[in-house]
C-alpha cells in the first residue's frame, strides 16, 4: 500500500483524506513514478475542498504536479532511476495525480528534471512557477523588454505571483507587486519588487482607459483587476492573463485593445506543448535565483495539505508549498 490523498463523492457527499491505496488500483500509463514531492496549487485546493468542479471522476488522487524517480517504464524515453517532473495534462483532475507516494502516467506527459534543480526545488516551482515563466515568455514574445517600461504582477504574494516577481526582477524589469497583504511588503521587496500596490486600487469597477502605467503585466486575479490592468497599459503593452483568483468574469471594454494596441495573451499551462514546457524549465534554471526560490517555499506533509487547501482559497498562503509525500 502507498499513502495518498483520496477524494471521493458518494451520495452527493464530497470527502478528501489521506489513506492507504493499493498499487493495483493505479490507472493505466507506461511510466510508474515513485513520487518524492508534490505541491499545493490553487487548482489542487479547489479539487480538495470541492469548491469548484475540478475533479472530473471519482475516486481521485489530486495533485496536478509531481517530481520523482521512475520505478518502471515501457516508454522509450524513460528508464528506472530517471528523475522526472509532471505538470498538468489533466493529472489530478481526470487522471490520478501527484499527492501520493506513487503515480502512473503517460511518459509523453513527463519532462526530465531540469538541472540544477533538485526534485524538491522543481516542486517549489511546480505548475505555479512554470506558469509564471510561461507568462514571462509571452510578454517577451510580444516585444516587452525591461526598457519598454515598468511591469505589474497581481496576486503577487501567491505562488504564480511570487515566482513572476522574482523572475521579472532578475531579468531587470521595474516590478510593481499588487497584493492584498500589506504585511507581505518586505517579502515582495525581497523577491525584487520595486513598488507595492494595494489590491483595492484595482479591484473595483474602473474606467475603460486609465493613466498609462505599465508595458507588461502578469495577472492571476481576473475580474475587475484584469480589466483595470488592461485599462492602465502603455501603448502596445501586453498582459499575460493566467488566473481567476477573484473570479471568472472579465468586465472590461475593448478600448485598451483598439485604442492602445494592447495585447491580452492567454496562458494555459495544462496542455502547453512539450517544447514550450522544456523551454520554460530551462529558462527557470537560468532566470530564477535558487536562493529566492528557497525563500518563497514552505515544506509540508501530505496531511497538512487538507488544512492548507481552504487557506489557499482564502488567499492566506504565501508563495509556494512543497508537499514531501514520503515524510
Ligand atoms: P495562490 O493562491 O498561491 O495565489 C493567488 C493570489 O491571488 C493570492 O495569494 C492573493 O495574492 C491573490 N488573491 C486571492 N484572492 C483574491 C481576490 N479575491 N482578489 C484579488 N486578489 C486575490 O494561487 P496560485 O498563484 O497558485 O494561482 C493563481 C491563479 O492562477 C489561480 O486562479 C490559478 O487557478 C491560476 N493558475 C492558472 C494556470 C494556468 O495554466 N492558466 C496555472 C497555475 C495557476 P495577494 O495576497 O498578494 O493579494
Amino acid at each position: 500500500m502507498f499513502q495518498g490523498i483520496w477524494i471521493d463523492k458518494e451520495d452527493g457527499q464530497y470527502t478528501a483524506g489521506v489513506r492507504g491505496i493499493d498499487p493495483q488500483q493505479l490507472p493505466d500509463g507506461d511510466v510508474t513514478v515513485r513520487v518524492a514531492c508534490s505541491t499545493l496549487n490553487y487548482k489542487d485546493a479547489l479539487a480538495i475542498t470541492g469548491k469548484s468542479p475540478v475533479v472530473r471522476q471519482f475516486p481521485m488522487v489530486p495533485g496536478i504536479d509531481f517530481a520523482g524517480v521512475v520505478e518502471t517504464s515501457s516508454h522509450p524515453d524513460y528508464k528506472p532511476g530517471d528523475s522526472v517532473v509532471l505538470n498538468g495534462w489533466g493529472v489530478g483532475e481526470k487522471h490520478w495525480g501527484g499527492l501520493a507516494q506513487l503515480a502512473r502516467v503517460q511518459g509523453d506527459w513527463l519532462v526530465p528534471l531540469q538541472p540544477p534543480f533538485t526534485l524538491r526545488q522543481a516542486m517549489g516551482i511546480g505548475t505555479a512557477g512554470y506558469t509564471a515563466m510561461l507568462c514571462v515568455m509571452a510578454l517577451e514574445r510580444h516585444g516587452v523588454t525591461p526598457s519598454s517600461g515598468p511591469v505589474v504582477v497581481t496576486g503577487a504574494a501567491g505562488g504564480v505571483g511570487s515566482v513572476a516577481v522574482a523572475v521579472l526582477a532578475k531579468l531587470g524589469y521595474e516590478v510593481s507587486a499588487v497584493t492584498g497583504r500589506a504585511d507581505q511588503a518586505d517579502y515582495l521587496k525581497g523577491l525584487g519588487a520595486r513598488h507595492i500596490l494595494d489590491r483595492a486600487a484595482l479591484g473595483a469597477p474602473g474606467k475603460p482607459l486609465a493613466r498609462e502605467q505599465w508595458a507588461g503585466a502578469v495577472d492571476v486575479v481576473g475580474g475587475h483587476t484584469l480589466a483595470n490592468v488592461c485599462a492602465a497599459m502603455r501603448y502596445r503593452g501586453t498582459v499575460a492573463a493566467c488566473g481567476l483568483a477573484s473570479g471568472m468574469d472579465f468586465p472590461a471594454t475593448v478600448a485598451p485593445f483598439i485604442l492602445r494596441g494592447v495585447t491580452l495573451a492567454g496562458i494555459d499551462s495544462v496542455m502547453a506543448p512539450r517544447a514550450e514546457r522544456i523551454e520554460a524549465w530551462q529558462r527557470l534554471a537560468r532566470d530564477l535565483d535558487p536562493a529566492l526560490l528557497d525563500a518563497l517555499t514552505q515544506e509540508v506533509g501530505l496531511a497538512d495539505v487538507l488544512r492548507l487547501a481552504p487557506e489557499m482559497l482564502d488567499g492566506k498562503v504565501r508563495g509556494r508549498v512543497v508537499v514531501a509525500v514520503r515524510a
Side-chain angles (χ1 to χ4, degrees), residues 187-199:
Y187 163 75
L188 290 166
K189 286 189 172 161
L191 297 180
R194 197 87 66 83
H195 316 283
I196 309 297
L197 304 181
D198 186 342
R199 86 156 69 134

Side-chain angles (χ1 to χ4, degrees), residues 2 4-7 21 59-63 91-93 95-100:
F2 65 96
I5 295 184
W6 183 267
I7 297 177
I21 304 169
M60 178 57 59
V61 173
V91 171
E93 300 178 60
H95 185 102
W96 282 12
L99 282 163

Side-chain angles (χ1 to χ4, degrees), residues 40-244:
L40 180 65
N41 289 284
Y42 194 89
K43 194 184 264 178
D44 302 316
L46 289 173
I48 288 164
T49 56
K51 283 265 165 65
S52 188
V54 166
V55 176
R56 303 313 158 74
Q57 62 191 54
F58 298 92
M60 178 57 59
V61 173
I64 64 171
D65 284 325
F66 64 74
V69 176
V70 172
E71 199 157 86
T72 60
S73 167
S74 57
H75 189 283
D77 293 351
Y78 299 103
K79 58 180 190 319
D82 287 347
S83 292
V84 292
V85 169
L86 179 130
N87 308 111
W89 295 115
V91 171
E93 300 178 60
K94 51 190 181 191
H95 185 102
W96 282 12
L99 282 163
Q101 294 171 333
L102 274 183
R104 183 174 295 143
V105 295
Q106 304 300 337
D108 288 347
W109 299 341
L110 297 166
V111 293
L113 178 69
Q114 175 67 40
F117 294 129
T118 62
L119 294 168
R120 182 184 185 280
Q121 284 174 322
M123 287 298 97
I125 294 167
T127 286
Y130 139 70
T131 301
M133 184 49 90
L134 291 179
C135 292
V136 172
M137 286 161 50
L139 298 186
E140 293 173 345
R141 246 192 335 272
H142 288 94
V144 181
T145 67
S147 59
S148 309
V151 295
V152 66
V153 176
T154 64
V160 176
S162 292
V163 176
V165 168
V167 168
L168 288 165
K170 182 156 188 271
L171 290 170
Y173 289 90
E174 179 182 333
V175 182
S176 289
V178 180
T179 184
R181 291 181 269 182
D183 59 339
Q184 296 304 327
D186 287 345
Y187 163 75
L188 290 166
K189 286 189 172 161
L191 297 180
R194 197 87 66 83
H195 316 283
I196 309 297
L197 304 181
D198 186 342
R199 86 156 69 134
L202 293 172
K207 293 182 182 158
L209 287 176
R211 181 171 64 84
E212 292 186 41
Q213 294 188 65
W214 302 298
V218 173
D219 178 65
V220 311
V221 172
H224 289 301
T225 301
L226 176 57
N228 287 325
V229 165
C230 289
M233 295 306 289
R234 292 189 181 189
Y235 190 70
R236 293 206 141 200
T238 296
V239 181
C242 73
L244 43 55

